[in-house]
Amino acid sequence: MGTSREEIQKEKGAAQQKMEEARAKTRALFNQAQEALAKGENENAISLFEAASNEEKDNLSILYALGIGYAIEGKLSEATGVFMKILDADPLHLGALLRLGFIQETRGMLPAAAQPYRRLLLQKERGDAPEYKEASARLAAVTENLKRLREAERHEKRGLAVLNNLSEIA
């Protein structure tokens, strides 16, 4: 015995209703998290973003907000994991690339910070995006800092060589 067209429509309607309810719940969680973040209640915001993410696991906006929350709270490993997950789904996500660069910069990993900035800057057609402009400025700063670091390392090596020579003479 087959299912009638009416029964199929009824099931379809019930499924759509459940989906709409789930989305409404996710939106409410997301909005509460945004409010908590604005108030500086970072841990509460993270919990709410995590709950919203559990409801809609593939929602990149929610994941991005969660990553920002982690970064604000100084949970850089967690933030990095979230931004990498976003980049797995969307390798050209401007915000995730920019934030990943920031995190690497914060950790003092300048060559690693330059990579996401360069990936972002390869998207020339999006050159009017604020992330593009910020990545350009950050890459210039990282490049300059790397140059200074290498110069300091060269001076350090020369200084150590001079000290070695002096200690051999003495």
Side-chain angles (χ1 to χ4, degrees):
M1 184 183 265
T3 307
S4 73
R5 177 170 261 168
E6 189 176 293
E7 289 172 334
I8 291 172
Q9 288 299 331
K10 192 182 249 187
E11 286 179 25
K12 184 178 175 184
Q16 284 179 329
Q17 178 67 27
K18 283 184 181 182
M19 230 166 92
E20 289 173 19
E21 288 171 4
R23 283 194 180 131
K25 179 180 177 184
T26 302
R27 271 193 302 275
L29 288 167
F30 185 82
N31 291 338
Q32 290 171 354
Q34 292 283 57
E35 290 173 15
L37 201 57
K39 292 177 187 175
E41 299 169 358
N42 301 335
E43 287 294 334
N44 184 32
I46 288 170
S47 295
L48 290 164
F49 283 133
E50 287 172 339
S53 180
N54 287 334
E55 292 293 321
E56 287 188 39
K57 295 184 184 332
D58 296 330
N59 187 317
L60 298 185
S61 296
I62 294 171
L63 284 174
Y64 183 72
L66 177 59
I68 295 292
Y70 282 141
I72 289 170
E73 196 58 24
K75 297 180 176 185
L76 300 183
S77 296
E78 291 89 340
T80 298
V82 169
F83 294 132
M84 293 302 290
K85 185 175 180 179
I86 292 169
L87 292 173
D88 286 343
D90 177 6
L92 303 178
H93 191 283
L94 298 179
L97 287 167
L98 185 63
R99 298 297 174 199
L100 199 54
F102 283 161
I103 289 170
Q104 301 298 31
E105 243 184 291
T106 301
R107 290 178 165 165
M109 301 169 68
L110 299 182
Q115 290 175 350
Y117 294 149
R118 285 190 184 108
R119 279 178 57 195
L120 196 156
L121 292 173
L122 288 175
Q123 301 175 58
K124 291 184 173 126
E125 70 280 359
R126 296 168 91 177
D128 60 338
E131 293 91 348
Y132 187 92
K133 292 173 181 152
E134 182 67 20
S136 180
R138 296 301 330 137
L139 182 59
V142 165
T143 303
E144 183 61 31
N145 287 336
L146 276 169
K147 181 180 168 186
R148 288 183 186 153
L149 181 64
R150 290 183 180 124
E151 189 175 314
E153 288 170 346
R154 280 195 305 275
H155 286 298
E156 181 182 30
K157 286 178 184 176
R158 286 188 207 140
L160 290 173
V162 168
L163 286 175
N164 276 341
N165 288 340
L166 288 174
S167 66
E168 288 174 7
I169 295 171

